[in-house]
């Protein structure tokens, strides 16, 4: 399944086709990053940008607006960012969309990416997926790694089958080389299966899974853990696999919680602990994941053990 995630606060939506990814999406609660000046185009809006970096967002907006209204693309992008994220002012997605659109027309890759999402969503501008695709391609070719990944995703959606995948893989690979976790995971899948004209290479795939996992990509953590336990793409490493699985489970990944239960049950990478296994499975089952094998484990515990497992599960929440 191709996963699209909104790159800005402006839009976040899911398509049934691996997703448009946002910087910091996987880092937990949203936060204000120290932003590279190049994010706002070739020129930085001087005092406005300096105020932005110091957290003086209203000052940055006032200074940036003066330049933006005169057609400064970097200032337009800065103003859009402030409105989009609600920095010092009330969030105004419509205003953000307008300014991203103006900057996108002037070729700012960050603005092209953001405005492409606006056009795909169709809430704050007329929906235009063809123009969105064009803008993503321009931003991708300018070196924006998020745009590279998103362009690959949209290519697969628009061109199902081998031809679309062949085109997309080049962009996945470039974004993965630039460190984007979503793209690293996507390339791991390509190399694991040997698709898109690439030879299967499970060792390289496992390396990419590890890179994505270290960026807190929970799906990669689960898959890496499974590969380590199974010895896929390299030697077996039960203890490291267990640690990755527990990290993903602690982060709320339901599949990880269920698989962690099995590791506890079988004593792989840790001491066997049927009650702890049951506790993690209870947590996963509450989220809707059911496993016949783990159901049997749970049913085989005594009433007292089931009570203790339930108490542990309640503490895990």
């Amino acid at each position: 399944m191709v996963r699209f995630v909104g790159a800005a606060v402006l839009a976040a939506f899911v398509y049934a086709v691996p997703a448009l990814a946002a910087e910091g999406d996987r880092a937990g609660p949203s936060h204000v990053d120290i932003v590279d000046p190049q994010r706002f185009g070739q020129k930085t809006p001087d005092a406005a940008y300096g105020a932005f970096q110091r957290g003086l967002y209203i000052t940055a907006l006032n200074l940036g607006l003066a330049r933006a209204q005169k057609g400064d693309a970097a200032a337009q992008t800065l103003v859009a960012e402030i409105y989009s994220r609600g920095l010092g002012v009330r969030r105004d997605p419509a205003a953000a969309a307008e300014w991203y659109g103006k900057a996108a027309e002037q070729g700012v890759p960050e603005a092209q990416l953001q405005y492409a999402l606006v056009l795909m969503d169709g809430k704050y501008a007329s929906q235009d997926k063809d123009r969105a695709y064009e803008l993503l391609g321009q931003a991708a070719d300018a070196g924006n790694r998020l745009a590279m990944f998103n362009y690959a995703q949209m290519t697969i959606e628009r061109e199902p089958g081998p031809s679309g995948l062949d085109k997309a893989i080049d962009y996945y690979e470039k974004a993965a080389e630039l460190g984007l976790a979503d793209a690293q995971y996507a390339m791991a899948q390509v190399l694991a299966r040997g698709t898109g004209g690439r030879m299967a290479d499970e060792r390289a795939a496992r390396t990419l899974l590890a890179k994505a996992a270290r960026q807190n990509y929970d799906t990669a953590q689960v898959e890496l853990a499974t590969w380590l336990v199974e010895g896929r793409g390299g030697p077996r490493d039960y203890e490291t696999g267990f640690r990755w699985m527990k990290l993903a489970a602690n982060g709320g990944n339901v599949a990880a919680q269920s698989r962690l239960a099995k590791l506890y049950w079988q004593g792989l990478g840790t001491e066997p602990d049927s009650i702890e296994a049951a506790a993690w499975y209870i947590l996963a089952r509450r989220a809707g994941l059911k496993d016949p094998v783990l159901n049997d484990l749970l049913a085989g515990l005594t009433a007292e053990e089931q009570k203790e497992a339930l108490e542990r599960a309640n503490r895990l929440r």
Side-chain angles (χ1 to χ4, degrees):
M1 185 173 75
V2 178
R3 188 181 58 82
F4 290 87
V5 179
V9 180
L10 278 171
F13 42 91
V14 178
Y15 280 74
V17 240
L20 295 184
E23 295 284 9
D25 268 359
R26 305 193 173 281
S30 60
H31 59 284
V32 176
D33 300 320
I34 300 300
V35 182
D36 186 332
Q38 293 300 311
R39 178 170 181 167
F40 299 124
Q42 293 302 307
K43 298 186 298 178
T44 60
D46 302 327
Y49 177 76
F52 181 92
Q53 291 291 67
R54 295 193 301 275
L56 303 175
Y57 301 121
I58 295 176
T59 299
L61 178 61
N62 291 335
L63 293 171
L65 270 173
R67 289 189 173 209
Q69 289 165 349
K70 293 178 181 179
D72 186 305
Q76 290 170 345
T77 311
L78 177 61
V79 168
E81 186 88 356
I82 291 171
Y83 279 132
S84 173
R85 296 165 70 181
L87 301 176
V89 295
R90 185 184 297 275
R91 281 190 61 238
D92 190 339
E98 180 181 355
W99 287 112
Y100 276 135
K102 292 178 184 295
E105 291 300 323
Q106 297 198 66
V108 178
E110 172 70 12
Q112 290 172 330
L113 168 65
Q114 303 287 4
Y115 195 57
L117 294 176
V118 172
L119 293 175
M120 290 178 69
D121 186 39
K123 185 174 181 180
Y124 298 107
S126 297
Q127 190 174 67
D128 188 341
K129 292 187 178 181
D130 290 337
R131 178 59 176 155
Y133 185 63
E134 181 182 352
L135 287 171
L136 284 176
Q138 292 172 8
D141 290 338
N144 186 297
R145 67 181 191 170
L146 290 170
M148 291 173 187
F149 177 79
N150 297 342
Y151 186 68
Q153 298 294 84
M154 202 168 179
T155 296
I156 290 174
E157 182 193 46
R158 291 166 66 94
E159 298 182 46
S163 63
L165 182 59
D166 287 347
K167 294 177 185 177
I169 284 176
D170 287 339
Y171 287 95
Y172 283 143
E173 189 167 42
K174 291 174 185 175
E177 289 170 355
L178 290 172
L180 187 66
D182 297 81
Q184 290 166 343
Y185 181 78
M187 279 306 299
Q189 303 309 301
V190 168
L191 294 175
R193 298 185 176 100
T195 58
R198 302 301 174 96
M199 294 291 293
D201 187 342
E202 291 194 343
R203 187 170 295 275
R206 180 159 143 173
T207 297
L208 285 167
L209 285 175
K211 289 181 177 181
R214 286 194 288 270
Q215 295 192 65
N216 204 30
Y217 196 125
D218 62 333
T219 305
Q221 291 170 347
V222 175
E223 195 155 340
L224 175 63
T226 302
W227 282 38
L228 287 164
V229 169
E230 294 176 351
R232 186 176 176 186
R236 290 182 188 270
D237 188 340
Y238 292 123
E239 291 184 0
T240 303
F242 174 83
R243 288 197 296 270
W244 278 118
M245 195 70 79
K246 190 167 185 181
L247 181 64
N250 282 330
N253 186 291
V254 178
Q257 292 167 352
S258 177
R259 295 186 191 186
L260 183 66
K262 290 183 177 180
L263 294 181
Y264 271 117
W265 185 24
Q266 297 168 4
L268 297 179
T270 187
E271 290 297 317
D273 189 334
S274 59
I275 295 176
E276 190 71 8
W280 280 105
Y281 178 54
I282 289 170
L283 206 62
R285 196 169 66 171
R286 285 173 177 168
L289 191 155
K290 296 182 180 180
D291 185 299
V293 173
L294 292 171
N295 281 335
D296 289 342
L297 163 67
L298 195 57
L301 297 179
T302 66
E304 184 176 339
E305 288 172 332
Q306 289 183 9
K307 180 181 177 182
E308 183 178 348
L310 182 60
E311 290 172 350
R312 289 193 195 183
N314 290 338
R315 290 196 295 270
L316 290 171
R317 286 187 302 181

